[in-house]
Amino acid sequence: MTTDFFDYIIVGAGSAGCVLANRLTEDPQLRVLVLEAGPADHSLFIHMPSAFAYPLANDRYNWYYHTDPEPFMDQRSMYCPRGRVLGGSSSINGMVYIRGHALDYEGWASRPGLANWSYADCLPYFRKAEHRARGGDAYRGDSGPLKVSTGACRNPLYSAFIEAGQQAGYAYTDDMNGYRQEGLGPMDMTVHKGRRCSAAVAYLRPAMKRPNLQVRTRALVARVAFEPGSSPPRAIGVQVVNGQRIDLLRASREVILCGGAINSPQLLQLSGIGDPDALRHLGIAVLAPLRGVGANLQDHLETYVQYACKEPITLYGAMNWRAKLRIGAQWLLQGTGLGATNHFESGGFIRSAAGVRHPDLQYHFLPMAISYDGSAPASFHGFQAHVGPMRPTSRGHVRLRSADPKEPPQILFNYMATEQDRKEMRAGIRLTREIFAQPAFDRFRGRAVCPTDAVQTDAEIDAHIRAHGESALHPSCSCRMGSDEWAVTDGSARVHGVAGLRVVDASIMPDVVSGNLNAPTIMLAEKLADTICGKTPLPRSDMPYFVHPQYKSVQR
């Protein structure tokens, strides 16, 4: 297909964009174009699960964003990687498959205009998307495109973490994506036969075999184009940077933005949709005055609780070049071994205090002491738990620096701006120390590395978080759904005040969910694909979910 006229233009081949490309082109009469600013996803470092730190830590497949100085984090400019490649962030993330808690979606549905986003409405779409290696049930899917497996937990440290949690009084959960999220147990990952199952692998590659789908890489969209004089303004396509030229690509039905929580609000503002005063200041004509564009930005902050390990069984032994060669060869030849896992094989969710209805702290356990993106290499045998609050009350923003689409936007999360967030993070560190102090870790536990045992008071813990806290890489909510004056889209993802334009990605979440965001983003794209295509929604689920019966009076 060589025409520049399409029914739908999808901007961004990330998690949501890949889903929409697949589902919309199931109708052979629809012509769909996907535009991705980055390259194809051919690198072995993308497809080898244990190598995810490489694409995560450089700008080849990554927008490589950094925040403005964070005022409550010692003025640090913090790293905010976003995928710029086929598959988007699903091609560079840690491959953790977590759906969030049922009550997150009940909270969405309690907002005006969002009644059809309840857990009962969303669960069928999680199941539709998923192909679980262990088989499906009333909560889990077994025939969807997205391949999901569960960590084998062969290293004894994984089991020690789960056992220590039980010794500390927390429940064991064998499926934190099923009936019961609360507790510690094995974790799921988007890995299939030892390879990353990104949204590009699961959805886009199969759809690219269809003649009615066209995918263009290295295509930077400058702005959405609108029909002159239309009322309300109607999107008719996009303007794409082509060297020194701007090309117009037309969409007869809709333009759908799938750029994520940073790029979607950036593109809306470049197109004249946003806070009118800010747009006028940059010389951008105001098309639709929506103050909520780029506002309400949320993310999960986390910190590492690290200990030295007394036994040489950690991944530190796999960090020398000879070991890496052996691991790489085994993965290439057999698809097995240490290269075939993301190494986040156990973890869980707990509540930080009595009175919290559903878990507000998440754990990822790792049998090594290292930074998430590999920027601080391991130098000793150690282990760590990543812990952080799930429902932050701090809010940030995404704003334009200029009207140049090539210039990165201003990003500020305002991490730790509220006392509630600081309180939950303090609890996270103290409760994690308590878990590591249990008998299950006696044979493994060495000295406390970070934070050290000297960090005890609220003020000392707060200072530690300011200096060492990192993004869990879950930016969201910057174009949130709703019907109030700060909402950007309605419950069907249509942008308020204009026609022919939707946003479908994590930016439309009203509030961040309690967990990693890849699975929820794929779910919402599956659900909205049915909406866009005019299909009857999947039947609602009546499956129950666990809430601690004594949550008001006990913490565990």
Side-chain angles (χ1 to χ4, degrees):
M1 186 190 307
T2 58
T3 178
D4 285 340
F5 291 82
F6 303 88
D7 294 297
Y8 292 95
I9 294 178
I10 297 169
V11 182
S15 298
C18 290
V19 173
L20 292 182
N22 186 298
R23 296 309 188 188
L24 268 59
T25 56
E26 288 177 339
D27 182 347
Q29 302 303 313
L30 293 178
R31 300 162 301 164
V32 178
L33 171 66
V34 176
L35 299 170
E36 168 55 47
D41 57 335
H42 297 315
S43 171
L44 288 178
F45 291 122
I46 288 176
H47 298 286
M48 183 179 181
S50 69
F52 70 87
Y54 291 95
L56 190 64
N58 67 69
D59 62 0
R60 185 172 183 180
Y61 304 106
N62 183 348
W63 287 103
Y64 210 70
Y65 291 135
H66 289 76
T67 71
D68 286 352
E70 291 284 348
F72 305 96
M73 298 292 290
D74 289 346
Q75 298 295 318
R76 291 161 56 202
S77 176
M78 298 179 62
Y79 187 35
C80 179
R82 295 285 84 204
R84 186 174 53 83
V85 61
L86 292 184
S89 293
S90 76
S91 288
I92 68 170
N93 68 2
M95 292 155 282
V96 175
Y97 181 86
I98 290 289
R99 294 175 172 181
H101 196 281
L103 286 175
D104 297 328
Y105 302 101
E106 298 300 279
W108 288 12
S110 68
R111 293 172 175 262
L114 303 183
N116 67 335
W117 285 96
S118 71
Y119 181 65
D121 294 292
C122 293
L123 179 55
Y125 287 97
F126 278 118
R127 295 184 69 249
K128 178 182 180 180
E130 182 187 17
H131 185 139
R132 187 192 190 203
R134 287 166 55 184
D137 56 29
Y139 294 93
R140 307 299 297 270
D142 60 5
S143 57
L146 187 69
K147 305 298 196 303
V148 176
S149 58
T150 306
C153 295
R154 293 188 179 94
N155 189 305
L157 288 167
Y158 292 121
S159 298
F161 183 71
I162 297 171
E163 184 181 356
Q166 294 175 268
Q167 292 170 345
Y170 300 104
Y172 172 79
T173 177
D174 68 345
D175 184 5
M176 57 192 74
N177 290 305
Y179 167 68
R180 179 173 184 143
Q181 185 196 63
E182 185 167 348
L184 304 184
M187 293 187 72
D188 292 333
M189 63 184 82
T190 49
V191 172
H192 177 61
K193 295 183 178 179
R195 294 176 68 89
R196 176 194 292 272
C197 187
S198 67
V201 170
Y203 287 92
L204 188 62
R205 292 292 178 188
M208 288 172 69
K209 299 174 184 177
R210 299 170 184 157
N212 58 330
L213 175 64
Q214 184 177 144
V215 177
R216 299 185 188 179
T217 56
R218 303 188 187 277
L220 178 65
V221 175
R223 59 190 55 84
V224 179
F226 289 86
E227 184 178 353
S230 58
S231 182
R234 179 170 187 82
I236 58 170
V238 296
Q239 295 179 358
V240 179
V241 177
N242 186 354
Q244 299 301 312
R245 193 175 74 243
I246 297 291
D247 292 338
L248 173 63
L249 307 178
R250 292 182 176 272
S252 62
R253 296 197 181 193
E254 290 184 347
V255 173
I256 307 173
L257 306 188
C258 300
I262 307 302
N263 296 95
S264 283
Q266 177 192 24
L267 186 53
L268 286 175
Q269 292 172 81
L270 288 168
S271 306
I273 302 171
D275 180 271
D277 294 333
L279 295 179
R280 292 189 188 102
H281 179 72
L282 295 174
I284 299 173
V286 178
L287 195 74
L290 295 179
R291 291 188 297 161
V293 174
N296 195 47
L297 180 65
Q298 300 175 36
D299 188 18
H300 292 139
L301 189 76
E302 66 179 12
T303 192
Y304 310 143
V305 179
Q306 299 176 326
Y307 283 79
C309 185
K310 294 189 292 186
E311 296 188 16
I313 59 172
T314 76
L315 296 176
Y316 175 63
M319 297 303 290
N320 65 77
W321 67 269
R322 290 186 180 88
K324 288 181 179 180
L325 284 176
R326 290 194 300 270
I327 292 167
Q330 181 179 359
W331 178 79
L332 280 170
L333 295 173
Q334 302 173 6
T336 59
L338 292 178
T341 172
N342 64 354
H343 299 293
F344 294 116
E345 296 188 12
S346 67
F349 294 84
I350 67 173
R351 292 175 295 112
S352 65
V356 177
R357 192 177 179 199
H358 64 294
D360 57 344
L361 294 174
Q362 181 180 13
Y363 286 115
H364 302 74
F365 178 80
L366 188 65
M368 182 165 57
I370 193 172
S371 64
Y372 186 67
D373 63 1
S375 58
S379 57
F380 56 90
H381 280 286
F383 54 83
Q384 68 191 34
H386 303 216
V387 61
M390 287 292 94
R391 296 183 293 282
T393 53
S394 303
R395 297 292 182 267
H397 59 253
V398 178
R399 296 173 182 168
L400 296 182
R401 297 183 190 276
S402 75
D404 182 355
K406 296 180 180 179
E407 185 166 1
Q410 293 179 318
I411 303 167
L412 191 73
F413 288 99
N414 278 319
Y415 296 118
M416 296 290 106
T418 69
E419 177 59 22
Q420 179 65 28
D421 291 355
R422 295 189 288 271
K423 178 181 177 182
E424 291 174 1
M425 189 63 90
R426 294 174 203 137
I429 287 182
R430 289 173 172 139
L431 294 171
T432 306
R433 283 170 161 170
E434 182 185 10
I435 291 173
F436 281 146
Q438 299 303 312
F441 273 105
D442 283 352
R443 60 177 276 206
F444 306 118
R445 186 191 330 103
R447 61 185 174 87
V449 176
C450 188
T452 66
D453 289 334
V455 177
Q456 292 292 334
T457 67
D458 286 359
E460 289 166 346
I461 293 175
D462 288 351
H464 175 81
I465 297 302
R466 289 195 301 271
H468 298 283
E470 295 184 9
S471 170
L473 314 182
H474 303 155
S476 52
C477 309
S478 53
C479 297
R480 71 171 176 83
M481 297 185 287
S483 57
D484 61 278
E485 63 175 332
W486 286 94
V488 177
T489 80
D490 65 12
S492 296
R494 294 173 297 202
V495 176
H496 291 303
V498 300
L501 180 63
R502 295 186 203 245
V503 179
V504 180
D505 54 37
S507 73
I508 68 172
M509 294 178 178
D511 286 298
V512 67
V513 300
S514 305
N516 309 69
L517 296 194
N518 185 237
T521 301
I522 288 173
M523 176 279 295
L524 69 83
E526 284 273 22
K527 189 172 185 299
L528 287 166
D530 276 0
T531 301
I532 294 167
C533 294
K535 295 182 178 179
T536 301
L538 295 178
R540 302 175 81 242
S541 169
D542 60 359
M543 298 307 297
Y545 50 86
F546 176 81
V547 174
H548 198 296
Q550 298 174 294
Y551 78 87
K552 291 183 179 179
S553 57
V554 299
Q555 181 262 330
R556 66 192 82 176

